[in-house]
Amino acid sequence: MRTLKKISALRTECGKAVRPLVLVPTMGALHVGHAALIRRARQIAGEEGTVAASIFINPIQFNSSKDLALYPRLEVADRRLCRELGVDILFQPSAKEMYYEDCSVFVEEEVLSRGLCGASRAGHFRGMCTVVAKLFNLFAPDAAVFGAKDYQQLAIVRRMVRDLNFPIRIIEHPTMREKDGLAMSSRNIRLSPEARKVAPAIYQALLRAKANTGSPHQVLKKLRRDLELIPGVRMDYVECVPAISPESATHWLQSTVIAVAVFLGEVRLIDNIRIPQHRPNSLKKAANCSQA
Ligand code: AMP
């Protein structure tokens, strides 16, 4: 595995890499979810192809300096895991390497970014799109793997690739969960023991919402109530949106995603669940899903 910190070295390495080159962008503190993405990248790249990963805690996608400072950093363990997983190129730049002090060009998606995490984290998706666009330019990958856990991010990356004509296939990988159902996240290690104990209730509530045959309005109301019952929880949002994009919600006729964000203590957790297309008893009870 080649570990690179400089853009010039990365460009050289990618220039001579055997194709296809498949990229997994991350912010580090790697867990089994990231590992699954890297394994998927290897499947796509094949034995001969190149698997690349980036580890970069992107300062411009954090809207709170405290959140940025507290984001877990496990550089040595991350490098070891990448090596074990057969990553060929690991890019671990500093913020200085990635951004000129006077950088003044950013990439902004203007529709899908409005709701959900975009509403509660001002500037988050502008920062995410900018860094992902830069990584796409630097690696020039043939494909990139993203997790379904960050559902809105995935939809926005797909839109960016479409609208800016990046010749890159975006691969979605399902959300990886702990045995008790909690979606794996780098932030989970910051949960207090009490919060960790109750955190699986988020996914349990989502599963109940999926089984609930009521109207979208009823389902979201019950889900909100279920989430509010979790000790120590503070709600950020509970929404349902069409599975194809987080743009707006109509009704159960389309495949829908229910997405939630909650705080447990100081830790913000997101999760989502896909509701399949057929909800026969609510076809006409339209559509009180919130606009994303
Ligand atoms: P992050 O390091 O949190 O920015 O995530 C890097 C990539 O890993 C993103 O594409 C995430 O969607 C994906 N990811 C994070 N957690 C999970 C998970 N539990 N299951 C699947 N993918 C994940």
Side-chain angles (χ1 to χ4, degrees):
M1 181 176 85
R2 301 269 293 141
T3 303
L4 308 166
K5 293 192 175 287
K6 295 288 174 198
I7 283 175
S8 52
L10 178 69
R11 281 222 158 101
T12 309
E13 200 64 27
C14 292
K16 58 185 190 200
V18 178
R19 298 279 158 170
L21 187 156
V22 184
L23 172 64
V24 181
T26 82
M27 296 207 299
L30 301 181
H31 50 66
V32 172
H34 296 113
L37 267 56
I38 292 171
R39 288 200 184 92
R40 181 79 179 273
R42 173 55 68 198
Q43 275 175 6
I44 298 160
E47 280 305 303
E48 302 295 319
T50 303
V51 172
S54 62
I55 295 180
F56 179 58
I57 302 176
N58 178 31
I60 68 165
Q61 73 183 64
F62 285 79
N63 58 340
S64 141
S65 50
K66 191 174 172 204
D67 191 28
L68 173 61
L70 289 174
Y71 199 85
R73 287 160 170 82
L74 300 169
E75 287 186 17
V76 177
D78 286 350
R79 270 199 295 277
R80 193 181 322 125
L81 182 63
C82 285
R83 195 169 299 114
E84 282 167 16
L85 290 166
V87 169
D88 300 301
I89 301 174
L90 175 62
F91 185 45
Q92 248 180 330
S94 65
K96 246 184 166 168
E97 182 68 12
M98 283 298 272
Y99 295 110
Y100 287 97
E101 239 166 64
D102 61 348
C103 74
S104 55
V105 177
F106 300 89
V107 180
E108 189 156 10
E109 192 288 325
E110 294 191 340
V111 173
L112 310 182
S113 311
R114 279 193 209 134
L116 308 180
C117 293
S120 47
R121 301 183 72 192
H124 169 66
F125 287 118
R126 177 181 186 256
M128 183 281 289
C129 282
T130 302
V131 82
V132 172
K134 282 165 73 74
L135 293 170
F136 284 177
N137 282 330
L138 295 174
F139 284 87
D142 299 283
V145 188
F146 287 83
K149 173 175 167 279
D150 298 271
Y151 158 74
Q152 189 176 17
Q153 168 173 284
L154 176 65
I156 292 169
V157 168
R158 283 193 197 285
R159 179 65 61 93
M160 180 180 79
V161 161
R162 186 197 76 175
D163 286 359
L164 298 186
N165 308 101
F166 283 106
I168 299 170
R169 222 174 104 209
I170 302 301
I171 314 289
E172 171 180 348
H173 196 81
T175 301
M176 305 299 288
R177 299 181 179 281
E178 303 286 355
K179 279 207 179 85
D180 58 17
L182 175 64
M184 288 172 176
S185 164
S186 304
R187 294 174 186 273
N188 290 352
I189 48 181
R190 288 184 50 217
L191 291 168
S192 69
E194 299 75 38
R196 176 62 190 82
K197 216 175 278 170
V198 297
I202 300 167
Y203 184 54
Q204 286 156 15
L206 282 172
L207 286 174
R208 279 197 296 278
K210 184 174 178 175
N212 187 337
T213 54
S215 71
H217 180 69
Q218 291 163 337
V219 170
L220 290 191
K221 201 167 150 200
K222 169 79 169 67
L223 174 58
R224 261 187 214 111
R225 231 183 293 133
D226 281 359
L227 291 171
E228 275 161 7
L229 287 175
I230 301 173
V233 91
R234 184 158 57 85
M235 304 283 283
D236 186 346
Y237 64 74
V238 174
E239 304 270 0
C240 72
V241 296
I244 41 160
S245 85
E247 206 163 355
S248 64
T250 51
H251 48 82
W252 295 132
L253 256 184
Q254 356 184 324
S255 173
T256 305
V257 169
I258 297 180
V260 302
V262 300
F263 286 91
L264 271 180
E266 295 222 313
V267 184
R268 186 173 178 278
L269 300 177
I270 60 171
D271 202 349
N272 66 74
I273 199 161
R274 204 161 284 210
I275 311 292
Q277 219 147 5
H278 306 294
R279 311 280 298 214
N281 65 349
S282 50
L283 295 185
K284 291 223 157 120
K285 290 182 206 164
N288 244 346
C289 283
S290 330
Q291 292 279 312

